[in-house]
Amino acid sequence: MDALHPRLMADRFAETFRFYDTLLPGLLGATRAGGTEAGPYASWDLGTEGLLALFDRAAMAAALGVEPPAAGGALLVSRVADVDAAHARCLAAGARPAAAPADRPDWGPTLRTAHVRDPEGNLWELQSY
């Protein structure tokens, strides 16, 4: 059962799908549970739990009759083994840099983070501690 997982609205569904489909398996061990880059929906699981879902923004608006949240309105946070390597991998997959890898002792004694933006502008924090 999926207790809670993020669903991102995508204006550029195919590009955003390819971004996460390229990165989630290697960085977090996720598997694609369903969907293709044709959309309008795709999801990835970690084990038996939902990890992330994408939904085409126009398809969601049509289904609900209201506009979904604006692009870039989400912050995802993932624990990774190596922040620097994960950051480089994200950039190679098309992420836009937001904050370079840095130690964050004010946030936690051993915390290191980097931040990137996905094709929709959502912020993704990569962290290790």
Side-chain angles (χ1 to χ4, degrees):
M1 179 180 89
D2 299 335
L4 179 67
H5 65 273
R7 179 181 296 160
L8 301 177
M9 300 295 104
D11 290 314
R12 298 181 312 223
F13 188 91
E15 181 182 356
T16 304
F17 171 90
R18 288 189 301 271
F19 177 81
Y20 285 109
D21 202 50
T22 297
L23 291 169
L24 291 176
L27 285 180
L28 303 178
T31 56
R32 185 173 355 126
T36 68
E37 71 178 78
Y41 180 84
S43 63
W44 293 264
D45 290 350
L46 189 59
T48 60
E49 294 293 319
L51 177 68
L52 179 69
L54 288 181
F55 206 105
D56 180 81
R57 183 180 312 282
M60 178 64 86
L64 300 180
V66 297
E67 278 301 309
L75 168 62
L76 304 175
V77 179
S78 297
R79 187 174 182 183
V80 297
D82 182 333
V83 168
D84 296 79
H87 183 255
R89 197 169 182 170
C90 288
L91 296 179
R96 295 187 323 268
D103 294 329
R104 306 274 183 205
D106 292 347
W107 295 6
T110 61
L111 188 66
R112 183 168 180 76
T113 68
H115 294 80
V116 297
R117 291 202 178 270
D118 73 8
E120 291 292 330
N122 295 298
L123 194 59
W124 189 4
E125 178 179 302
L126 308 164
Q127 61 173 231
S128 65
Y129 51 93

